[in-house]
Amino acid sequence: MKRYYDIDWLRAIIVLSLIPFHATIIFNQNPGAIMYVKDTMQVNSLMFLCGIMDRFHMVTLFLIAGMAIYFSLLKRSMKIFIKERFIKLFVPLLTGSLLLNPITTYIWCMNQGRKESFFNHYIGFFTRGPGSFDGLSGGYTPAHLWFILYLFVFSLLGLPIFKWLMKAKSENVLDKLAAFCFKPGRLLLFAIPYCLLYLIEILDEKNPIAYFYVVLIGFVFATREEYLKAICRDKWFYLTLSIILYIIFFNGEPSDGASMIVMYLFGFVVKLAKIIPSFAIIGLFHEYINKNSKALVYLSGACFTIYIVHMIIVTSVGFWIIQYGINPILKYFIIVIISYILSFGAYEIVKRNRLLGLLFGAK
């Protein structure tokens, strides 16, 4: 079976980009931008960077996850697949929920000036009402691990669909769909349902129905080479369209008195600006970053563990650094650099211990 090193590179780079992404939110005073430590200053340049990165990284990760499910099921029985999902996804999710996230939310409480012992906070983390599951009230939150939670649930609930798509009687349907979508621009048709699914209001930007659909798209893309060939061929078209969507996103927000139609159209564009850039990025990586190397082997092994631990590290480092009266941009780069050092250091420790490797998903 062919190995797509571009997909491995893309996964690793996006996961590593989450450290500078979450660090930008420390300097974003928008209460809807969830981070567990906040500076008192807002830095517009960092907000702009945050807005760019926020558009595509999770959609791209879910697309890649759908592809990975297909390749995994090619080599594994359903029983082994389910066992592997429990070990690789559920165990690290449980580890993060029990050991890391309560500390992260406790730092938030300290950042907000609340006085509570860690023991009381830890108990409250599991006993308080979760509210909107963001953890800002001190109740339970999966925090950044929501991606792993979704992926675990999608992997199990989607199994009947995945297995049906892999049956011989589905070959004809998949062949015809791939042939139809190979023509220029037709992959855009996959983006329309993604946007419309947000009309079902569930957990706002973390809409599980929309993200399950993205996983299905990724799975289908992996079934035929025509999809990646089409994405690669049309990458500059998708990149150009992404730039146009970004311009509208940053400059075209309707006024308060705008009609409902205008509001819905803008919302549609906002969602397109999440999935179309993913097509462009996948195409660019497939064309230009598609070789194996020692660096890729190392990063592929490290990125999942870094995903697990990076939030508590960025939060802790941020809580410490923002107390210094220095330029906020300098604070940002110090937070990012120290967080990278500590995240890779954590991986080096974890991978050397079998139990820790299991708990934190190290390869």
Side-chain angles (χ1 to χ4, degrees):
M1 183 175 66
K2 181 181 178 181
R3 183 79 185 187
Y4 290 95
Y5 296 114
D6 52 315
I7 300 301
D8 294 333
W9 273 114
L10 184 53
R11 181 193 297 110
I13 289 174
I14 287 184
V15 169
L16 293 178
S17 75
L18 292 176
I19 289 177
F21 167 72
H22 282 124
T24 65
I25 307 177
I26 295 175
F27 303 92
N28 186 341
Q29 298 303 310
N30 180 357
I34 304 300
M35 186 59 191
Y36 299 100
V37 64
K38 289 288 184 87
D39 199 323
T40 56
M41 294 187 64
Q42 177 163 295
V43 182
N44 290 334
S45 59
L46 294 179
M47 287 185 64
F48 179 73
L49 176 61
C50 176
I52 291 176
M53 298 174 71
D54 188 44
R55 291 298 87 201
F56 64 84
H57 61 213
M58 294 314 299
V59 172
T60 307
L61 282 178
F62 276 109
L63 275 172
I64 293 171
M67 296 178 187
I69 290 173
Y70 173 77
F71 294 131
S72 181
L73 286 172
L74 279 180
K75 301 183 294 182
R76 296 166 178 84
S77 66
M78 286 184 63
K79 182 178 179 180
I80 295 176
F81 176 80
I82 293 171
K83 179 181 178 181
E84 182 186 69
R85 294 281 121 169
F86 267 93
I87 293 173
K88 290 190 174 181
L89 296 177
F90 183 74
V91 171
L93 172 64
L94 189 62
T95 301
S97 296
L98 293 176
L99 301 181
L100 304 182
N101 290 350
I103 300 175
T104 303
T105 55
Y106 183 65
I107 293 172
W108 167 253
C109 291
M110 290 193 295
N111 181 237
Q112 298 301 299
R114 301 177 196 170
K115 297 187 181 300
E116 181 182 36
S117 71
F118 177 71
F119 177 79
N120 288 335
H121 177 82
Y122 187 86
I123 299 300
F125 183 81
F126 298 102
T127 57
R128 293 188 185 108
S132 57
F133 288 96
D134 56 22
L136 300 185
S137 65
Y140 175 78
T141 177
H144 63 300
L145 302 180
W146 68 272
F147 167 70
I148 297 175
L149 173 62
Y150 277 26
L151 190 54
F152 176 70
V153 174
F154 294 166
S155 297
L156 300 185
L157 294 184
L159 260 181
I161 300 174
F162 301 143
K163 294 304 291 184
W164 180 82
L165 288 170
M166 299 182 77
K167 288 183 178 178
K169 62 183 179 182
S170 302
E171 293 290 314
N172 189 45
V173 174
L174 291 173
D175 287 339
K176 289 182 178 179
L177 182 62
F180 174 81
C181 293
F182 186 71
K183 295 186 178 180
R186 287 191 176 179
L187 289 179
L188 286 174
L189 295 174
F190 281 103
I192 296 173
Y194 168 76
C195 301
L196 296 178
L197 284 171
Y198 277 93
L199 294 174
I200 306 171
E201 297 183 2
I202 305 176
L203 297 178
D204 197 26
E205 288 293 314
K206 294 183 177 70
N207 188 317
I209 300 175
Y211 277 116
F212 180 63
Y213 172 73
V214 173
V215 170
L216 284 178
I217 294 175
F219 188 94
V220 171
F221 282 4
T223 61
R224 298 292 185 275
E225 288 191 1
E226 283 84 353
Y227 293 108
L228 282 178
K229 288 179 180 178
I231 290 175
C232 187
R233 180 197 62 211
D234 300 338
K235 57 187 177 296
W236 298 114
F237 165 72
Y238 293 125
L239 181 60
T240 302
L241 181 57
S242 298
I243 293 171
I244 294 171
L245 291 170
Y246 269 59
I247 292 172
I248 297 173
F249 170 71
F250 283 110
N251 300 284
E253 185 172 0
S255 61
D256 293 337
S259 67
M260 189 65 67
I261 294 177
V262 172
M263 295 294 290
Y264 274 117
L265 285 175
F266 181 74
F268 188 82
V269 168
V270 167
K271 296 303 179 287
L272 278 179
K274 291 174 75 74
I275 191 167
I276 300 303
S278 299
F279 292 174
I281 292 168
I282 290 172
L284 289 167
F285 270 70
H286 191 66
E287 177 74 17
Y288 299 112
I289 309 178
N290 198 7
K291 292 183 179 181
N292 195 14
S293 69
K294 291 182 179 179
L296 177 59
V297 173
Y298 179 80
L299 292 176
S300 294
C303 67
F304 190 80
T305 299
I306 289 176
Y307 183 89
I308 299 293
V309 303
H310 86 275
M311 179 62 81
I312 191 172
I313 290 175
V314 174
T315 302
S316 301
V317 174
F319 181 77
W320 168 43
I321 296 298
I322 64 172
Q323 299 179 49
Y324 291 91
I326 57 178
N327 183 282
I329 297 294
L330 181 58
K331 288 182 186 179
Y332 171 76
F333 281 107
I334 293 173
I335 292 170
V336 170
I337 292 169
I338 295 177
S339 295
Y340 270 125
I341 293 170
L342 294 179
S343 295
F344 278 104
Y347 169 66
E348 287 296 324
I349 293 171
V350 164
K351 76 175 185 177
R352 286 169 167 78
N353 182 284
R354 187 172 182 179
L355 176 60
L356 289 177
L358 173 65
L359 294 176
F360 290 93
K363 291 184 179 179

